[in-house]
Amino acid sequence: LKYLKRSLLLAYETENIGLASFAFNTISNTFEEQGRYDSALVYYKSFNNFSDSLDEAKYNERIAELEVQFRTEENEKELAQKEAELTQEQLKVKRRSWTTGIFGLLFFSISFISILFIRQQKIKRENLIKEKDLKLKLASAELENKIHQEKERISRDLHDNVGSQITNL
């Protein structure tokens, strides 16, 4: 009993509930074997209190573990949800980028084709203007040629008429 009571004091000093519970139980059993039921009852009640304290400590520890696990799961769930939202946002950004890229490429292509078409039309107009100028010059040259031929004919006729009249005279 002397050593058990010392271990009980050590258990209080070190706050070792398991050792205190064991010491109370053993002391209670020892008093019971000695027939000192009143002391056995006192130590048995202390043993029950410490057992309850031990059970309560284990229960509280288990509750704390479950709370940590619950919080961890909640945090993981929230993290997974945030990751899913982030993935959706990234997908939206990619879609916008692709859409913008396609519209940009389409705009560039249409602009390039329009510039080529306008340039082709400008070249056609310039060619038509040159062709008209050439036709006008050709028509002018033909007209001058006809005028020159007519002048030659008139001049021959005059020359022949003047020569024949002189001959007749």
Side-chain angles (χ1 to χ4, degrees):
L1 283 174
K2 178 180 172 184
Y3 292 117
L4 286 171
K5 288 181 181 180
R6 266 180 148 174
S7 69
L8 189 58
L9 289 174
L10 285 172
Y12 275 122
E13 288 175 7
T14 58
E15 296 179 6
N16 189 337
I17 297 173
L19 180 60
S21 176
F22 173 77
F24 277 125
N25 188 30
T26 309
I27 291 171
S28 172
N29 289 338
T30 305
F31 278 134
E32 186 179 358
E33 287 173 6
Q34 292 176 356
R36 296 171 53 189
Y37 298 111
D38 56 340
S39 297
L41 181 62
V42 169
Y43 279 97
Y44 185 75
K45 285 182 181 178
S46 297
F47 164 72
N48 277 339
N49 286 339
F50 270 85
S51 284
D52 289 346
S53 296
L54 184 62
D55 289 342
E56 188 177 328
K58 287 179 182 177
Y59 177 74
N60 288 339
E61 185 179 311
R62 180 66 181 148
I63 287 175
E65 287 176 9
L66 289 174
E67 283 179 351
V68 168
Q69 185 179 3
F70 177 72
R71 286 187 190 124
T72 303
E73 287 178 3
E74 273 187 342
N75 290 341
E76 287 175 355
K77 224 185 250 185
E78 189 175 310
L79 183 62
Q81 187 179 14
K82 298 252 183 202
E83 285 178 359
E85 289 173 0
L86 180 62
T87 303
Q88 286 178 349
E89 287 298 319
Q90 288 174 343
L91 183 62
K92 285 180 183 178
V93 168
K94 281 183 181 180
R95 285 181 185 160
R96 287 182 196 147
S97 296
W98 273 101
T99 304
T100 304
I102 289 172
F103 280 129
L105 184 62
L106 186 62
F107 176 75
F108 176 75
S109 299
I110 289 172
S111 298
F112 184 72
I113 290 171
S114 297
I115 289 171
L116 288 178
F117 182 75
I118 290 170
R119 189 169 180 209
Q120 184 70 22
Q121 292 300 321
K122 184 179 177 182
I123 290 171
K124 277 185 179 179
R125 266 184 282 165
E126 288 175 357
N127 286 341
L128 283 175
I129 290 171
K130 286 180 184 177
E131 190 178 318
K132 284 181 182 179
D133 284 346
L134 287 175
K135 283 182 181 178
L136 283 174
K137 287 180 182 177
L138 183 62
S140 172
E142 284 179 4
L143 185 59
E144 283 182 27
N145 192 15
K146 283 184 181 179
I147 290 174
H148 181 64
Q149 286 176 356
E150 189 63 29
K151 283 183 181 179
E152 278 185 13
R153 187 189 62 75
I154 291 175
S155 118
R156 271 188 259 134
D157 279 348
L158 281 176
H159 185 272
D160 286 344
N161 272 346
V162 171
S164 46
Q165 281 180 1
I166 291 178
T167 310
N168 280 342
L169 284 176

